[in-house]
Amino acid sequence: MRVFYCIATALIATASFASAQTVNLGSDWSGLGTQTDPFDSSAIEVNRIVKGDFNFDCDYLAFLVKDDADYDRFLRSAEIQYQIDGGTPIVRDGVYTTMYSGSFADILDFTPISGDRYFSFKMNDADVTGLKAGNSLVIAGRKSTGWVNAKLDLMGFTRAYKRMCEFPN
Protein backbone atom coordinates (compact mmCIF):
# COMPACT_ATOMS: atom_id res chain seq x y z
CA MET A 1 0.00 0.00 0.00
CA ARG A 2 2.84 2.40 0.84
CA VAL A 3 4.40 1.83 -2.61
CA PHE A 4 1.09 2.65 -4.29
CA TYR A 5 0.76 5.80 -2.18
CA CYS A 6 4.30 6.92 -3.18
CA ILE A 7 3.58 6.35 -6.87
CA ALA A 8 0.23 8.16 -6.69
CA THR A 9 1.83 11.10 -4.87
CA ALA A 10 4.59 11.33 -7.50
CA LEU A 11 2.07 11.27 -10.36
CA ILE A 12 -0.05 14.00 -8.78
CA ALA A 13 3.01 16.17 -8.15
CA THR A 14 4.28 15.64 -11.70
CA ALA A 15 0.91 16.56 -13.21
CA SER A 16 0.66 19.66 -11.01
CA PHE A 17 4.06 20.97 -12.01
CA ALA A 18 4.12 19.78 -15.65
CA SER A 19 3.08 23.22 -16.87
CA ALA A 20 5.23 25.10 -14.34
CA GLN A 21 7.48 27.81 -15.75
CA THR A 22 10.64 29.24 -14.21
CA VAL A 23 11.42 32.95 -14.34
CA ASN A 24 14.79 34.55 -13.47
CA LEU A 25 14.00 37.42 -11.08
CA GLY A 26 17.59 38.61 -10.57
CA SER A 27 19.94 38.48 -7.55
CA ASP A 28 19.74 34.66 -7.58
CA TRP A 29 15.94 34.69 -7.11
CA SER A 30 13.80 32.41 -9.28
CA GLY A 31 10.07 32.51 -9.73
CA LEU A 32 7.92 29.45 -10.32
CA GLY A 33 4.58 29.99 -11.97
CA THR A 34 2.25 29.19 -14.81
CA GLN A 35 1.80 30.67 -18.26
CA THR A 36 -1.38 32.76 -18.27
CA ASP A 37 -1.64 33.47 -22.00
CA PRO A 38 -1.46 30.46 -24.33
CA PHE A 39 0.06 32.63 -27.07
CA ASP A 40 2.58 34.59 -24.98
CA SER A 41 5.24 32.48 -23.29
CA SER A 42 6.47 35.53 -21.35
CA ALA A 43 3.10 35.93 -19.56
CA ILE A 44 3.97 34.01 -16.39
CA GLU A 45 2.02 34.36 -13.15
CA VAL A 46 4.62 33.78 -10.44
CA ASN A 47 3.19 31.99 -7.40
CA ARG A 48 6.42 31.03 -5.61
CA ILE A 49 9.86 32.61 -5.32
CA VAL A 50 12.98 30.64 -4.44
CA LYS A 51 16.53 31.52 -3.45
CA GLY A 52 18.87 28.79 -2.23
CA ASP A 53 17.07 26.71 0.39
CA PHE A 54 14.32 29.31 0.88
CA ASN A 55 10.81 29.23 -0.62
CA PHE A 56 8.22 31.99 -0.34
CA ASP A 57 4.68 32.34 -1.52
CA CYS A 58 2.64 35.46 -0.77
CA ASP A 59 1.74 34.09 2.67
CA TYR A 60 4.46 31.67 3.79
CA LEU A 61 8.21 31.62 4.31
CA ALA A 62 9.82 28.16 4.26
CA PHE A 63 13.39 26.93 4.49
CA LEU A 64 14.84 23.53 3.72
CA VAL A 65 16.59 21.57 6.45
CA LYS A 66 19.43 19.39 5.31
CA ASP A 67 19.58 16.06 7.10
CA ASP A 68 19.77 12.38 6.27
CA ALA A 69 16.10 11.63 6.69
CA ASP A 70 14.11 8.65 5.50
CA TYR A 71 11.13 9.13 3.23
CA ASP A 72 8.04 9.72 5.30
CA ARG A 73 5.43 12.38 5.87
CA PHE A 74 4.51 14.52 8.82
CA LEU A 75 3.37 17.98 9.88
CA ARG A 76 4.36 19.17 13.37
CA SER A 77 4.07 22.45 15.20
CA ALA A 78 7.41 24.22 15.56
CA GLU A 79 8.93 27.32 17.09
CA ILE A 80 10.71 29.52 14.56
CA GLN A 81 12.78 32.61 15.31
CA TYR A 82 14.38 35.03 12.91
CA GLN A 83 16.51 38.17 12.89
CA ILE A 84 16.82 40.71 10.12
CA ASP A 85 20.16 42.51 9.98
CA GLY A 86 21.04 41.24 13.48
CA GLY A 87 18.03 43.00 15.04
CA THR A 88 15.71 41.82 17.76
CA PRO A 89 14.73 38.15 17.35
CA ILE A 90 11.14 37.64 16.21
CA VAL A 91 9.40 34.49 17.49
CA ARG A 92 6.80 32.86 15.25
CA ASP A 93 4.66 29.74 15.50
CA GLY A 94 5.19 27.54 12.48
CA VAL A 95 5.47 23.97 11.29
CA TYR A 96 8.15 21.40 10.64
CA THR A 97 7.01 19.25 7.73
CA THR A 98 7.82 17.32 4.55
CA MET A 99 6.09 19.99 2.43
CA TYR A 100 7.89 23.17 1.32
CA SER A 101 5.09 25.42 2.53
CA GLY A 102 2.46 25.19 5.21
CA SER A 103 -0.01 26.69 2.77
CA PHE A 104 -0.38 23.48 0.76
CA ALA A 105 -0.67 21.43 3.92
CA ASP A 106 -3.42 23.80 5.12
CA ILE A 107 -5.32 23.74 1.83
CA LEU A 108 -5.00 20.06 1.01
CA ASP A 109 -4.90 18.69 4.56
CA PHE A 110 -2.16 16.56 3.08
CA THR A 111 1.60 16.24 3.39
CA PRO A 112 3.47 14.17 0.81
CA ILE A 113 5.92 11.38 1.44
CA SER A 114 9.29 13.05 1.04
CA GLY A 115 12.91 12.98 2.14
CA ASP A 116 12.86 16.78 2.42
CA ARG A 117 12.25 18.66 5.65
CA TYR A 118 11.08 22.25 5.89
CA PHE A 119 10.29 24.77 8.56
CA SER A 120 7.66 27.31 7.55
CA PHE A 121 5.42 29.97 9.02
CA LYS A 122 2.65 32.24 7.85
CA MET A 123 4.00 35.76 7.38
CA ASN A 124 2.18 38.88 8.51
CA ASP A 125 2.56 42.42 7.15
CA ALA A 126 5.33 43.25 9.67
CA ASP A 127 7.32 40.19 8.54
CA VAL A 128 7.07 41.17 4.87
CA THR A 129 7.91 44.82 5.60
CA GLY A 130 11.00 43.76 7.55
CA LEU A 131 12.16 41.39 4.80
CA LYS A 132 11.75 44.12 2.18
CA ALA A 133 13.74 46.62 4.26
CA GLY A 134 16.49 44.22 5.32
CA ASN A 135 19.78 43.04 3.88
CA SER A 136 20.15 39.67 5.59
CA LEU A 137 17.96 37.12 7.33
CA VAL A 138 19.08 34.57 9.91
CA ILE A 139 16.36 32.09 10.79
CA ALA A 140 16.17 29.15 13.16
CA GLY A 141 13.66 26.35 13.65
CA ARG A 142 13.54 24.07 16.67
CA LYS A 143 13.17 20.34 16.15
CA SER A 144 13.58 17.49 18.62
CA THR A 145 17.37 17.42 18.19
CA GLY A 146 17.80 21.17 18.69
CA TRP A 147 17.93 24.34 16.63
CA VAL A 148 18.59 24.42 12.89
CA ASN A 149 19.82 27.74 11.45
CA ALA A 150 19.83 29.14 7.93
CA LYS A 151 20.93 32.44 6.38
CA LEU A 152 19.56 34.35 3.41
CA ASP A 153 20.90 37.39 1.56
CA LEU A 154 17.79 39.52 1.01
CA MET A 155 19.19 41.42 -2.00
CA GLY A 156 16.46 41.37 -4.64
CA PHE A 157 13.72 40.15 -2.27
CA THR A 158 11.57 43.27 -2.68
CA ARG A 159 11.59 43.03 -6.49
CA ALA A 160 10.90 39.27 -6.44
CA TYR A 161 8.10 39.56 -3.85
CA LYS A 162 6.44 42.40 -5.75
CA ARG A 163 6.58 40.36 -8.97
CA MET A 164 4.83 37.53 -7.18
CA CYS A 165 2.32 39.29 -4.93
CA GLU A 166 1.87 42.91 -5.91
CA PHE A 167 2.43 43.18 -9.65
CA PRO A 168 1.54 39.85 -11.24
CA ASN A 169 2.63 39.42 -14.86
Side-chain angles (χ1 to χ4, degrees), residues 147-162:
W147 288 96
V148 177
N149 295 350
K151 296 178 182 179
L152 177 65
D153 176 356
L154 292 170
M155 178 187 272
F157 175 79
T158 300
R159 181 177 53 246
Y161 188 84
K162 283 182 177 180

Side-chain angles (χ1 to χ4, degrees), residues 32-161:
L32 182 63
T34 54
Q35 185 174 334
T36 57
D37 181 335
F39 307 106
D40 182 0
S41 62
S42 68
I44 307 295
E45 180 180 354
V46 174
N47 53 37
R48 181 165 51 118
I49 57 175
V50 178
K51 185 173 185 178
D53 293 334
F54 286 80
N55 285 272
F56 294 80
D57 62 25
C58 293
D59 297 318
Y60 284 85
L61 178 161
F63 67 99
L64 178 67
V65 175
K66 305 246 195 266
D67 65 30
D68 298 324
D70 291 328
Y71 280 77
D72 59 1
R73 69 184 186 120
F74 60 84
L75 176 67
R76 299 183 183 118
S77 296
E79 178 183 347
I80 298 172
Q81 295 188 28
Y82 73 87
Q83 289 180 301
I84 296 175
D85 298 334
T88 304
I90 307 295
V91 178
R92 307 286 282 137
D93 291 328
V95 295
Y96 180 54
T97 182
T98 55
M99 183 64 117
Y100 74 84
S101 173
S103 61
F104 279 124
D106 290 347
I107 294 167
L108 302 175
D109 192 27
F110 167 78
T111 51
I113 294 175
S114 172
D116 293 337
R117 305 290 184 263
Y118 293 90
F119 282 100
S120 69
F121 70 91
K122 186 172 177 75
M123 297 183 294
N124 60 33
D125 289 342
D127 297 323
V128 174
T129 299
L131 292 166
K132 287 180 178 179
N135 295 308
S136 66
L137 170 71
V138 178
I139 192 164
R142 186 187 305 219
K143 60 182 197 170
S144 61
T145 57
W147 288 96
V148 177
N149 295 350
K151 296 178 182 179
L152 177 65
D153 176 356
L154 292 170
M155 178 187 272
F157 175 79
T158 300
R159 181 177 53 246
Y161 188 84

Side-chain angles (χ1 to χ4, degrees), residues 4-48:
F4 172 76
Y5 184 80
C6 290
I7 293 169
T9 301
L11 290 173
I12 291 168
T14 302
S16 298
F17 293 109
S19 63
Q21 303 289 322
T22 303
V23 179
N24 181 345
L25 301 174
S27 301
D28 295 325
W29 288 95
S30 297
L32 182 63
T34 54
Q35 185 174 334
T36 57
D37 181 335
F39 307 106
D40 182 0
S41 62
S42 68
I44 307 295
E45 180 180 354
V46 174
N47 53 37
R48 181 165 51 118

